[in-house]
């Protein structure tokens, strides 16, 4: 049985008949942190909806990651959904950033629902709007912001997603996610630490409260 609160928040507008079908066809699974959910080129069999946790959606180029967006609770992966209208092949990688609980809807079932419950399209239009905004922010960050600003924005984002401050992030992990080298990240982190933007310790990287809440 799927968590009723999740169903009401995400699908309540579709009515009781849809909720019954959701309980009949949807699968619930737990995914451990750092587990790969899907890879580029893999056939898409399910469309995921995140109940709790965090999922990173990204591409790889010469071993470097380009993050498109993070799927947060009550959201879905739009790029996975869009693939079911073409060749059912994933164009992205998806990785659980932390222990997560995911609801999986079989592609064949979702195709049927799109016909029988056309209002479900509203849900995906909303997802498109969120993901488009995320991708635009990512492009603006990469093109217009200096690396120190991008690193600080990344740390803020991770604190916001996990609710942890300080947060455990390795220099190598930051470098991989931002498409640069560990040595460059280490230099930048030392610089912004000297400027009072962050505090590095054995517990992780901490941002002063006023920096954590300020949008960058």
């Amino acid at each position: 049985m799927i968590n009723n609160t999740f169903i009401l928040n995400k699908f309540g507008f579709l009515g009781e008949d849809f909720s019954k079908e959701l309980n009949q066809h949807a699968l619930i699974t737990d995914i451990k942190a750092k587990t790969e959910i899907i890879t580029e080129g893999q056939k898409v069999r399910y469309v995921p909806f995140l109940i709790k946790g965090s999922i990173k959606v990204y591409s790889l180029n010469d071993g470097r990651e380009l993050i498109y967006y993070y799927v947060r609770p009550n959201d879905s992966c739009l790029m996975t959904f869009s693939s079911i209208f073409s060749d059912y092949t994933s164009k992205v990688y998806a990785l659980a950033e932390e222990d997560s609980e995911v609801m999986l809807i079989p592609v064949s079932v979702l195709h049927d629902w799109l016909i029988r419950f056309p209002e479900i399209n509203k849900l995906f239009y909303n997802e498109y709007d969120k993901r488009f905004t995320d991708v635009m922010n990512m492009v603006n960050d990469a093109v217009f912001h200096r690396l120190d600003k991008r690193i600080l924005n990344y740390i803020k984002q991770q604190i916001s997603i996990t609710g942890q401050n300080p947060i455990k992030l390795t220099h190598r992990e930051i470098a991989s996610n931002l498409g640069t080298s560990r040595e460059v990240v280490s230099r930048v982190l030392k610089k912004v630490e000297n400027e009072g933007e962050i505090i590095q310790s054995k517990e992780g990287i901490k941002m002063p409260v006023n920096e954590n809440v300020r949008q960058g």
Side-chain angles (χ1 to χ4, degrees):
M1 184 75 174
I2 304 170
N3 182 285
N4 285 329
T5 301
F6 174 77
I7 291 178
L8 288 174
N9 289 341
K10 191 68 179 177
F11 303 100
F13 71 98
L14 291 166
E16 290 187 10
D17 288 343
F18 182 84
S19 294
K20 292 177 182 177
E21 294 224 6
L22 195 62
N23 276 296
Q24 179 182 351
H25 294 288
L27 307 173
I28 303 296
T29 185
D30 293 321
I31 303 174
K32 292 292 186 182
K34 307 306 177 186
T35 298
E36 198 168 61
I37 298 171
I38 197 166
T39 63
E40 183 180 357
Q42 184 177 342
K43 285 295 182 181
V44 175
R45 304 183 188 279
Y46 300 94
V47 174
F49 289 84
L50 189 62
I51 298 174
K52 66 179 180 181
S54 174
I55 296 174
K56 176 175 68 175
V57 179
Y58 63 99
S59 64
L60 281 176
N61 187 4
D62 293 331
R64 293 185 175 183
E65 295 181 3
L66 176 63
I67 299 175
Y68 293 122
Y69 53 81
Y70 287 87
V71 180
R72 296 178 175 83
N74 292 322
D75 288 346
S76 179
C77 178
L78 182 70
M79 289 186 173
T80 300
F81 174 71
S82 65
S83 71
I84 73 174
F85 296 106
S86 52
D87 57 3
Y88 295 84
T89 301
S90 175
K91 298 175 177 60
V92 296
Y93 294 83
L95 178 86
E97 281 280 275
E98 54 186 317
D99 290 346
S100 300
E101 184 180 9
V102 179
M103 182 183 74
L104 302 174
I105 298 178
V107 167
S108 59
V109 172
L110 188 55
H111 271 298
D112 178 54
W113 286 350
L114 289 170
I115 297 172
R116 295 172 50 218
F117 302 96
E119 286 194 347
I120 199 174
N121 285 287
K122 294 179 181 178
L123 185 151
F124 292 105
Y125 293 150
N126 290 335
E127 293 292 329
Y128 174 82
D129 184 60
K130 293 178 187 176
R131 299 291 82 86
F132 182 78
T133 299
D134 287 343
V135 172
M136 287 299 297
N137 288 338
M138 178 271 292
V139 171
N140 287 335
D141 206 33
V143 172
F144 298 113
H145 290 165
R146 298 184 315 181
L147 185 57
D148 56 351
K149 185 68 171 179
R150 291 176 60 202
I151 290 175
L152 288 173
N153 283 345
Y154 175 77
I155 296 171
K156 290 178 187 178
Q157 182 185 52
Q158 295 306 304
I159 290 173
S160 174
I161 290 172
T162 64
Q164 299 174 4
N165 188 24
I167 185 169
K168 285 283 189 181
L169 290 171
T170 67
H171 295 191
R172 188 175 301 279
E173 181 181 0
I174 296 173
S176 175
N177 287 330
L178 295 182
T180 185
S181 69
R182 181 187 61 78
E183 292 78 11
V184 169
V185 168
S186 296
R187 287 198 299 270
V188 171
L189 287 176
K190 188 63 178 177
K191 170 181 174 290
V192 296
E193 184 177 27
N194 291 336
E195 294 171 350
E197 298 274 8
I198 63 170
I199 300 169
Q200 297 187 87
S201 67
K202 291 185 296 183
E203 286 72 35
I205 301 174
K206 182 176 181 179
M207 276 194 163
V209 174
N210 65 322
E211 287 296 325
N212 185 28
V213 298
R214 189 178 67 194
Q215 297 298 313

